Amino acid sequence: MDRNFFSNLKCRECGKLYAKKAIHVCDFDFGPLEAVYDYAAIRGVLTRQLIESRPQSMWRYRELLPIDGAPTVGTQVGFTPLVKADRLAKALGLRELYVKNDTVNYPTLSFKDRVVSVALSRALELGFEVVACASTGNLANSVAANAASAGLKSYVLIPADLEQGKVLGSLVYGANVIAIHGAYDQVNRLCSEIAGKYGWGFVNVNLRPYYAEGSKTMGFEIAEQLGWRLPRHTIIPMASGSLLTKIHKAYKEFIDLGLVDKAPFSVHGAQATGCAPITHALKRGTDMVKPVAKPQTIAKSLAIGTPADGYYAIHSMNQTGGTAEDCTDEEIVEGIRLLAECEGIFAETAGGVTVACAKKLVAAGHIPADESAVLCITGNGLKTQEAMLNQCGAPRTINPSLREFEDRIYQPDQSAVAH
Ligand SMILES: *Cc1c(COP(=O)(O)O)cnc(C)c1O
């Protein structure tokens, strides 16, 4: 990159500025730190034409991402398909619906490749040799894979009860995979202690301000792929709540930079009923998020009982006229199947949460039938197969014989047999 527009980190609460180091909380009030940019300078440089001239990856928006030089990790991440979902739209009762399909993100099939690409590119700039994370599964996969390709040593810490696909999807890259007897919050607390003691680059602890900005690219891509406009409604799964706040920020940045026309938009959050601290707080009309001590849901990737960005996610939803929903495990399975049967997209449990909650938001009138909507589908169903085992029937098995095929599988209508 010719010029660097990323200037500082800044406390979200008191506004104190910090140098661009591996720090994530304010000394004074413990507020979270966030990347700040020289928007006036970016406005003079970043145009639709410039972005469109670049390779189709999340790094086409690099002026709005918090690294100093050119990206070095995950340079091919992002620019996943935005699918016009007409059959799902009909099933939900909407006219204009799209699916942002991060089930096929590169290289590890979830939206987490976006955040890891930024965090590890920054980790190399800051000189880290060991990177690590606390993860509900997808982050572990992405850190493990991207660290391997960057030649970095990695430690990924996960709750011990994760799906097999997520565990194997970290081990295969040669990462140090540490399974903790406990819920995600306990894993995360241990990671904070390790980060403080050993000076490793924890992508979602001391590198969190960099990591979190990567999520904005999902919002940038949605706006560009819609033909440089914002959808009226965006439905977003919430774990810590970070992705939702960053899609909100992405839309605001595009409006402020004149890349899209100013228009009303709403961001809505989706959680599983068995771990829905953000949704429940919003429904109670408060921004005080009550922790969930023992999450119980098949949507393990969203099972964060103490969501770090819950407070900010609630404000993003309230400021944009958005709202939040939650859904049961049965509704998650139904949501996965509905997306698969309507659009040919096999999402993980978090995708089922998004579809099921969108259905409720439409039914309740929060998403009117004639307004455009985008569902953020953030992870791949092949990684959470446990959730769908025994839910989709089984193949009918026969011998390789035409007679048997016609006896047991398919009886042609005689008048329709081709000659
Ligand atoms: C991590 C994750 C999310 C959202 O995470 P936030 O912490 O809210 O940013 C959503 N979907 C999937 C599949 C994830 O792995």
Side-chain angles (χ1 to χ4, degrees):
M1 176 163 40
D2 323 310
R3 286 166 67 191
N4 172 22
F5 302 95
F6 165 44
S7 54
N8 284 95
L9 298 181
K10 179 176 158 188
C11 175
R12 280 197 76 155
E13 292 303 318
C14 70
K16 184 178 191 300
L17 291 177
Y18 288 85
K20 305 181 288 183
K21 301 206 182 114
I23 45 171
H24 67 297
V25 283
C26 179
D27 302 336
F28 288 107
D29 54 19
F30 304 104
L33 304 186
E34 189 174 38
V36 289
Y37 305 85
D38 182 352
Y39 289 113
I42 294 174
R43 193 171 295 118
V45 172
L46 194 62
T47 61
R48 292 178 182 179
Q49 290 74 10
L50 178 63
I51 293 168
E52 286 168 352
S53 74
R54 290 174 171 167
Q56 296 197 337
S57 83
M58 61 176 261
W59 288 101
R60 64 210 259 119
Y61 315 103
R62 63 200 186 195
E63 285 83 355
L64 294 162
L65 292 170
I67 63 173
D68 288 333
T72 50
V73 183
T75 55
Q76 303 188 74
V77 174
F79 223 76
T80 55
L82 183 74
V83 178
K84 182 111 195 303
D86 290 338
R87 284 168 44 79
L88 182 61
K90 200 163 171 212
L92 296 184
L94 290 173
R95 202 173 301 158
E96 187 186 359
L97 178 69
Y98 303 82
V99 167
K100 180 57 172 166
N101 185 8
D102 264 17
T103 71
V104 293
N105 207 358
Y106 176 88
T108 66
L109 310 178
S110 88
F111 111 85
K112 289 298 196 304
D113 291 321
R114 300 176 182 277
V115 288
V116 169
S117 173
V118 178
L120 296 196
S121 289
R122 186 65 186 149
L124 286 178
E125 289 183 345
L126 293 171
F128 286 103
E129 284 163 11
V130 180
V131 292
C133 67
S135 174
T136 57
N138 283 316
L139 182 62
N141 294 172
S142 188
V143 168
N146 284 293
S149 74
L152 286 161
K153 201 170 169 164
S154 69
Y155 283 80
V156 304
L157 285 79
I158 54 175
D161 70 346
L162 282 195
E163 302 93 343
Q164 223 178 16
K166 299 248 171 96
V167 177
L168 186 60
S170 294
L171 288 168
V172 70
Y173 304 107
N176 295 287
V177 180
I178 319 298
I180 310 294
H181 293 299
Y184 174 82
D185 287 324
Q186 294 164 291
V187 177
N188 195 42
R189 216 165 302 129
L190 175 61
C191 285
S192 295
E193 293 178 65
I194 298 172
K197 186 154 184 188
Y198 295 106
W200 294 349
F202 270 87
V203 304
N204 56 344
V205 183
N206 52 351
L207 295 172
R208 191 172 179 86
Y210 309 101
Y211 154 99
E213 287 285 285
S215 288
K216 290 192 305 189
T217 61
M218 200 163 186
F220 295 152
E221 289 174 17
I222 289 169
E224 181 182 347
Q225 289 170 317
L226 277 178
W228 299 104
R229 68 184 169 105
L230 302 182
R232 181 65 188 79
H233 301 273
T234 308
I235 301 89
I236 304 157
M238 302 186 291
S240 72
S242 177
L243 174 62
L244 184 140
T245 66
K246 294 298 180 174
I247 288 178
H248 180 205
K249 183 177 179 184
Y251 290 170
K252 282 191 299 183
E253 285 181 339
F254 264 23
I255 291 172
D256 291 346
L257 292 168
L259 291 167
V260 297
D261 287 339
K262 190 172 164 61
F265 68 85
S266 302
V267 291
H268 306 274
Q271 294 200 294
T273 306
C275 185
I278 307 175
T279 292
H280 287 154
L282 184 131
K283 283 183 173 177
R284 285 197 312 273
T286 172
D287 58 15
M288 303 274 284
V289 177
K290 252 202 316 228
V292 172
K294 280 202 174 18
Q296 261 174 338
T297 168
I298 57 171
K300 294 174 193 275
S301 58
L302 303 180
I304 296 185
T306 309
D309 294 292
Y311 169 89
Y312 298 105
I314 287 168
H315 282 263
S316 284
M317 290 183 274
N318 287 337
Q319 273 172 30
T320 62
T323 184
E325 260 305 344
D326 58 277
C327 61
T328 64
D329 285 354
E330 291 72 37
E331 290 168 330
I332 294 171
V333 169
E334 200 184 298
I336 291 174
R337 200 184 291 124
L338 188 63
L339 179 61
E341 291 180 356
C342 289
E343 302 299 334
I345 295 169
F346 183 16
E348 73 147 78
T349 44
V353 168
T354 305
V355 173
C357 289
K359 190 173 170 183
K360 291 183 174 185
L361 291 167
V362 175
H366 295 299
I367 302 176
D370 59 350
E371 295 183 352
S372 61
V374 172
L375 305 185
C376 292
I377 301 299
T378 48
N380 194 297
L382 293 173
K383 292 205 243 179
T384 61
Q385 292 185 40
E386 289 91 336
M388 299 310 280
L389 286 178
N390 310 316
Q391 300 282 356
C392 308
R396 286 179 287 169
T397 308
I398 59 168
N399 290 305
S401 129
L402 181 61
R403 161 84 62 81
E404 213 169 305
F405 181 76
E406 288 179 346
D407 281 352
R408 299 198 30 214
I409 307 293
Y410 185 71
Q411 289 80 45
D413 171 356
Q414 283 307 317
S415 63
V417 172
H419 293 283

